[in-house]
Amino acid sequence: MLAFFAGAQAKFLPPTDRARFVTAGTLMLLTAALATCAGSTVVAIGFGIGTLQALPFGIFYALFIFFIDRSVLLTQTPYRYGADGGVETGRAGFSVAVRVFIAVCAAVIVGETVLLRIFESSIANRVAEIQQEDAGRVLAGWDANQESEIAARTADLAAKQKGLDAADDLVEAKTAEVNCQLAGGPDCLGGAGPVYQIKLAELAAATVAVTDATRLRDAAQRDLDKFQATQQASRSAFAGTVEATTGAADDLLMREKAFWRLTTEDRSVLVWRLLLTLLLLGVDLAPLLFKRGLDRTSYRQRERLERWRDETAVEVDALQVGHTARERRDLAPVVAARLAGRWEDYLLRRDGVETAVRWTADTAQARLAEEEISADQESRMRELRARHGIVAVPRAPTSESAVATGSAVATGSVSGHAVPPPPESP
């Protein structure tokens, strides 16, 4: 079973390699157990729940790590062609890089979680300091906002007071003008005439403006006084809210901030962090580091060789098909030329045979016609001899008849037929 966990079949394992694969399977189980504890602890601290409640998350994380380790052990380092044309062993693939990345992240997270539990009492003091500092910064911001609000309200009150003073000055000026128009003087006409009515209307408008400016100034003053009176109560209520908010901020991020402050203040904590992280990283990467020894076993070498044979067999077939196709393509013009030559030779031979057949037929017809003519002449000569009682006297052949006979014999020898001798005279 342990050898199966490491990605090998026990019945095919030689005795010299069985111990290595059993060790690798045991390391995978130990890594899975560590992953269970680490995942449960991280989830318990992160979500503020019990470790038993977070155990399903730890089991899920352990199964994830277990199957990744098994896939890495099953992934063989393949052969490949080197720069010199030879065969050499390839490098680690993408799955190994992913496994190393997960191991580094897990080592850092799990190491931090364990150290948070170890230095929990020291971290609590730093958490309180950070909470107080955060509350102080929030209150300082609130005070700055309040001061800017008071300054704005004071400026508004000053503007309203300035408007009221301007309205009072205008009333005084208009009152002087009305009195001048009523009593008379060097710059105005005396008597309650049209100008007096105009100045009196302006004075009434200025008086209304003073009333409005006074109302606005009093409203701004009451607003400022009310704001200043409730400022302390508002600050106390806000301080209570901030205190409750910052006091409740005791999550993983707050503890990590406090732990970092503790690390910067005490270098021994930094040493513990580094050592524990490296230790967890080594334990998590133990199956991956042990894989190098498994790749050198005879079992893995046979598997690698068989895989290389399968891969190269396909390439060899493809190269053979390509070579055959190229050879056929190159031989196609030559074969076509040879076939064309053979076809021309066949046509020439067929034409010669047909010509010879026709020549033989024509020769046979000519000989047959000559025989018919000779037979007809012989028949007539016999008939004439019989009619007139002439006795046939053999004569020596003349030159013309010898030439005819020689030509007939030559024709018969050419045509392949024997020439019959001339008939004897009766």
Side-chain angles (χ1 to χ4, degrees):
M1 183 63 70
L2 294 176
F4 175 76
F5 290 161
Q9 297 182 9
K11 60 181 179 179
F12 297 117
L13 276 176
T16 55
D17 298 336
R18 186 182 302 273
R20 292 188 178 183
F21 282 92
V22 170
T23 304
T26 305
L27 287 176
M28 291 178 62
L29 292 180
L30 293 177
T31 304
L34 177 62
T36 303
C37 298
S40 302
T41 304
V42 171
V43 173
I45 294 178
F47 292 96
I49 58 179
T51 305
L52 292 179
Q53 295 177 350
L55 186 60
F57 299 95
I59 294 175
F60 174 77
Y61 178 67
L63 291 175
F64 179 72
I65 293 298
F66 176 80
F67 283 108
I68 284 184
D69 288 339
R70 193 168 189 273
S71 65
V72 171
L73 292 180
L74 286 174
T75 303
Q76 301 177 9
T77 305
Y79 288 118
R80 66 177 184 180
Y81 294 108
D84 55 350
V87 178
E88 61 183 15
T89 305
R91 298 179 180 178
F94 178 74
S95 59
V96 177
V98 173
R99 182 63 183 93
V100 171
F101 175 76
I102 294 175
V104 172
C105 295
V108 173
I109 295 175
V110 175
E112 289 294 312
T113 307
V114 174
L115 288 173
L116 287 176
R117 287 290 181 88
I118 295 175
F119 297 98
E120 185 174 3
S121 59
S122 299
I123 291 173
N125 298 329
R126 270 68 180 183
V127 169
E129 293 177 0
I130 294 175
Q131 291 175 351
Q132 291 178 0
E133 292 174 359
D134 292 341
R137 282 194 297 270
V138 174
L139 289 177
W142 190 86
D143 292 337
N145 187 22
Q146 295 296 310
E147 291 177 358
S148 62
E149 184 69 21
I150 292 175
R153 293 176 183 272
T154 303
D156 181 65
L157 178 60
K160 297 295 191 302
Q161 184 63 43
K162 187 177 181 180
L164 178 59
D165 294 340
D168 290 337
D169 295 339
L170 182 61
V171 169
E172 292 179 359
K174 294 301 180 181
T175 302
E177 291 178 359
V178 169
N179 293 332
C180 181
Q181 292 294 333
L182 184 61
D187 296 330
C188 54
L189 298 176
V195 177
Y196 173 74
Q197 297 298 327
I198 293 173
K199 296 298 181 180
L200 189 60
E202 292 178 354
L203 177 59
T207 304
V208 174
V210 169
T211 303
D212 294 337
T214 303
R215 179 175 54 81
L216 293 175
R217 192 274 315 272
D218 294 340
Q221 184 65 45
R222 288 193 303 271
D223 190 17
L224 178 61
D225 295 339
K226 182 179 179 181
F227 182 80
Q228 290 178 344
T230 58
Q231 182 180 5
Q232 188 62 33
S234 300
R235 189 180 188 282
S236 300
F238 183 76
T241 304
V242 170
E243 187 69 23
T245 304
T246 55
D250 192 12
D251 54 1
L252 185 60
L253 180 60
M254 180 63 70
R255 295 182 186 180
E256 186 62 31
K257 290 181 179 180
F259 192 33
W260 179 254
R261 178 174 294 186
L262 179 62
T263 304
T264 56
E265 294 176 356
D266 191 353
R267 297 299 180 182
S268 61
V269 179
L270 178 60
V271 174
W272 277 101
R273 295 181 71 171
L274 293 176
L275 291 177
L276 185 58
T277 302
L278 293 177
L279 177 61
L280 293 174
L281 181 62
V283 174
D284 203 6
L285 290 179
L288 186 62
L289 297 175
F290 202 74
K291 181 180 182 298
R292 296 179 59 87
L294 296 180
D295 290 338
R296 297 188 181 94
T297 59
S298 59
Y299 179 79
R300 289 299 190 199
Q301 289 176 356
R302 288 196 302 269
E303 286 186 347
R304 190 184 303 113
L305 181 60
E306 189 66 26
R307 177 182 177 185
W308 177 253
R309 183 181 290 110
D310 295 339
E311 293 177 355
T312 53
V314 176
E315 295 181 359
V316 169
D317 293 340
L319 292 175
Q320 184 64 38
V321 171
H323 178 72
T324 304
R326 287 193 298 269
E327 291 294 330
R328 290 180 178 178
R329 181 189 61 193
D330 297 337
L331 291 175
V334 179
V335 173
R338 290 181 180 178
L339 291 176
R342 294 181 63 180
W343 178 252
E344 292 177 358
D345 184 64
Y346 166 74
L347 292 179
L348 291 175
R349 291 178 181 272
R350 189 182 67 178
D351 293 342
V353 170
E354 291 178 354
T355 303
V357 170
R358 286 194 298 269
W359 171 261
T360 302
D362 294 342
T363 303
Q365 291 292 335
R367 289 184 60 202
L368 181 61
E370 289 178 355
E371 292 293 336
E372 289 178 353
I373 294 172
S374 297
D376 184 52
Q377 289 180 355
E378 291 292 335
S379 176
R380 291 177 64 183
M381 289 179 64
R382 289 190 186 96
E383 184 179 354
L384 288 175
R385 289 190 188 106
R387 184 182 298 176
H388 296 288
I390 300 174
V391 178
V393 180
R395 295 178 297 176
T398 61
S399 60
E400 294 179 359
S401 61
V403 170
T405 303
S407 63
V409 172
T411 304
S413 63
V414 171
S415 60
H417 298 279
V419 179
E424 296 179 356
S425 301

